[in-house]
Amino acid sequence: MPIENDQGLRDILTSVRTIALVGASEKTSRPSHEVMEYLQRQGYRIIPVNPRLAGKQVLGETVYADLASIPEPVDMAELFLAPERTDAVIDQAVAENIPVLWLQIGVINEAGAERAEQAGLKVVMDRCPKREIPRLKIAS
């Protein structure tokens, strides 16, 4: 079961430092851009992932084509993708041993979440860290 309790969410948000944001956008009007900027202000290192923008910069960070292309370990993969596009990314997060998989609000993939959990990943689904951080009163 995905993590839904406040303590579990707090534990994740206070322990992760480097987040791969899959579905990052260079467009300032996009929710993924807004969340990336917010998380950077909270002190997280955000590595944008988007095959269309690979090699470019978003908010001062180099964009990578996929999780396997990131040259350093990440603590969490946050998915801003349509649910039907998440399976391959979930499998890649498992293959890359990324400890936490976070699916944004509206991104629901029960079977993918179960696969990730069976592989030992912590999973959060249908939530946004930009909402959870202030709700849980997590200081930056």
Side-chain angles (χ1 to χ4, degrees):
M1 294 288 299
I3 295 169
E4 296 184 346
N5 66 74
D6 287 355
Q7 188 58 53
L9 295 170
R10 183 177 286 106
D11 289 348
I12 289 170
L13 291 168
T14 57
S15 65
V16 302
R17 299 292 7 126
T18 304
I19 301 170
L21 195 146
V22 182
S25 177
E26 78 284 18
K27 297 175 183 166
T28 58
S29 62
R30 301 292 299 219
S32 63
H33 191 281
E34 184 181 320
V35 169
M36 180 175 171
E37 191 172 41
Y38 173 82
L39 291 173
Q40 283 180 325
R41 285 195 316 266
Q42 297 305 306
Y44 297 94
R45 165 98 190 280
I46 310 300
I47 300 174
V49 177
N50 184 325
R52 184 177 55 80
L53 301 173
K56 296 182 179 175
Q57 297 268 314
V58 171
L59 293 169
E61 292 283 350
T62 300
V63 182
Y64 293 91
D66 55 27
L67 294 174
S69 301
I70 300 172
E72 61 191 271
V74 297
D75 304 314
M76 182 170 99
E78 181 179 1
L79 279 54
F80 268 94
L81 298 172
E84 62 273 10
R85 294 181 52 219
T86 59
D87 278 317
V89 179
I90 291 169
D91 293 341
Q92 201 172 62
V94 169
E96 295 297 317
N97 296 312
I98 297 173
V100 178
L101 177 69
W102 188 298
L103 284 70
Q104 260 297 329
I105 292 173
V107 182
I108 299 170
N109 180 338
E110 299 285 353
E114 187 173 325
R115 277 196 323 278
E117 288 173 329
Q118 288 176 352
L121 279 68
K122 293 180 182 175
V123 177
V124 176
M125 189 163 52
D126 198 25
R127 291 183 177 265
C128 178
K130 184 176 183 278
R131 291 185 182 177
E132 297 300 327
I133 290 168
R135 184 182 73 76
L136 296 169
K137 296 176 178 52
I138 296 172
S140 56

